[in-house]
């Protein structure tokens, strides 16, 4: 059992850097918090965490290796991700000034409220349509985890990673929706939308330049 604990600690030591590194997931949670409030951002966070479990599952099943070796599959996922990020970016660029609610939890109300399903899917798809996690999890599972480790334990590692990722983004969601932060976002809402739109398009273009390893 000690061997598996050491494996988990090693995995989390590496994964902790991936959690805090700014990327499309971080930009998505920030966009949700600014445009739709805390509830939407938290639901998006759970979508991202669930997507991580999706990546871990196919890696354990061996499909990750197949995707990494298939230029066609890699490019299909890559260009779907590019289109999705650019689409979100254009939506943000076209959005009007951000007018945040006055409620204590920083949630949008009325016609501007985002459905739970849409908020969740935004996070899930932002991560699921990114082929880079294929290589990230392949490298982790091939270098830090023994081939003899039971698949159930590997899935447990994935669950711990997903839980930590969700906890991080939920924390970010709360931080971005406290009253003082909310007031600042409202004053700079127009430029925040434009900046976030440019960031998403930039991530899309960066993903477009990625090549299968």
């Amino acid at each position: 059992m000690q061997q598996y604990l050491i494996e988990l600690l090693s995995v989390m030591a590496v994964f902790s850097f991936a959690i805090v590194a700014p990327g499309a997931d971080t930009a998505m949670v920030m966009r949700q918090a600014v445009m739709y409030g805390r509830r939407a951002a938290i639901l998006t966070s759970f979508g991202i965490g669930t997507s991580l479990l999706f990546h871990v599952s196919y890696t354990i099943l061996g499909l990750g290796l197949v995707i990494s070796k298939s230029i066609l599959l890699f490019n299909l996922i890559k260009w779907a991700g590019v289109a999705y990020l650019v689409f979100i970016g254009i939506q943000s660029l076209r959005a009007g000034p951000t007018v945040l609610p006055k409620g204590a939890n920083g949630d949008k109300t009325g016609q501007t409220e985002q459905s739970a399903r849409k908020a969740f899917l935004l996070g899930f798809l932002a991560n699921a349509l990114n082929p880079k996690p294929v290589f990230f999890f392949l490298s982790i599972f091939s270098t830090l985890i023994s081939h003899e480790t039971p698949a159930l334990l590997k899935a447990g590692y994935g669950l711990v990673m997903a839980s930590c990722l969700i906890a991080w983004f939920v924390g970010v969601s709360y931080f971005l929706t406290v009253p003082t932060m909310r007031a600042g976002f409202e004053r700079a809402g127009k430029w925040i939308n434009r900046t976030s739109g440019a960031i998403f398009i930039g991530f899309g273009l960066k993903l477009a330049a990625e090549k299968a390893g």
Side-chain angles (χ1 to χ4, degrees):
M1 184 59 69
Q2 184 178 3
Q3 170 194 347
Y4 300 136
L5 179 60
I6 293 174
E7 276 188 349
L8 177 59
L9 292 176
S10 300
V11 167
M12 292 309 300
V14 174
F15 186 63
S16 61
F17 290 99
I19 290 178
V20 300
D25 293 341
T26 304
M28 180 63 74
V29 172
M30 292 180 66
R31 171 188 182 272
Q32 290 292 90
V34 171
M35 296 186 68
Y36 298 103
R38 182 177 298 168
R39 172 180 172 275
I42 290 175
L43 288 167
T44 298
S45 301
F46 274 88
I48 293 170
T50 304
S51 183
L52 185 147
L53 290 176
F54 165 70
H55 289 300
V56 169
S57 297
Y58 68 64
T59 299
I60 293 174
L61 294 172
L63 298 178
L65 183 60
V66 175
I67 295 173
S68 69
K69 298 300 182 181
S70 171
I71 299 298
L72 176 60
L73 286 176
F74 179 88
N75 283 329
L76 283 175
I77 297 172
K78 181 181 79 171
W79 289 110
V82 169
Y84 182 71
L85 289 173
V86 171
F87 172 73
I88 296 297
I90 292 173
Q91 278 194 324
S92 296
L93 289 174
R94 297 175 61 184
T98 301
V99 180
L100 297 176
K102 303 302 181 184
N105 63 353
D107 285 335
K108 287 282 190 181
T109 57
Q111 293 182 345
T112 57
E113 185 178 1
Q114 189 177 62
S115 70
R117 178 176 178 274
K118 184 173 182 180
F120 180 87
L121 284 176
L122 279 170
F124 182 87
L125 292 175
N127 191 279
L129 294 178
N130 187 348
K132 293 175 68 176
V134 175
F135 300 102
F136 178 78
F137 286 108
L138 277 177
S139 64
I140 283 183
F141 278 78
S142 62
T143 60
L144 299 179
I145 300 176
S146 170
H147 293 295
E148 298 179 357
T149 299
L152 189 60
L153 273 177
K154 292 179 181 179
Y157 298 165
L159 184 60
V160 173
M161 286 189 283
S163 300
C164 290
L165 184 64
I166 290 171
W168 166 256
F169 282 129
V170 167
V172 171
S173 301
Y174 269 87
F175 173 74
L176 292 175
T177 51
V178 297
T180 52
M181 293 294 293
R182 188 178 66 222
F185 286 137
E186 187 165 339
R187 289 193 297 269
K190 180 179 179 180
W191 293 105
I192 288 174
N193 285 333
R194 290 182 177 180
T195 301
S196 63
I199 289 173
F200 278 115
I201 292 174
F203 278 126
L205 295 177
K206 183 175 183 293
L207 180 58
E210 295 284 343
K211 296 181 179 179

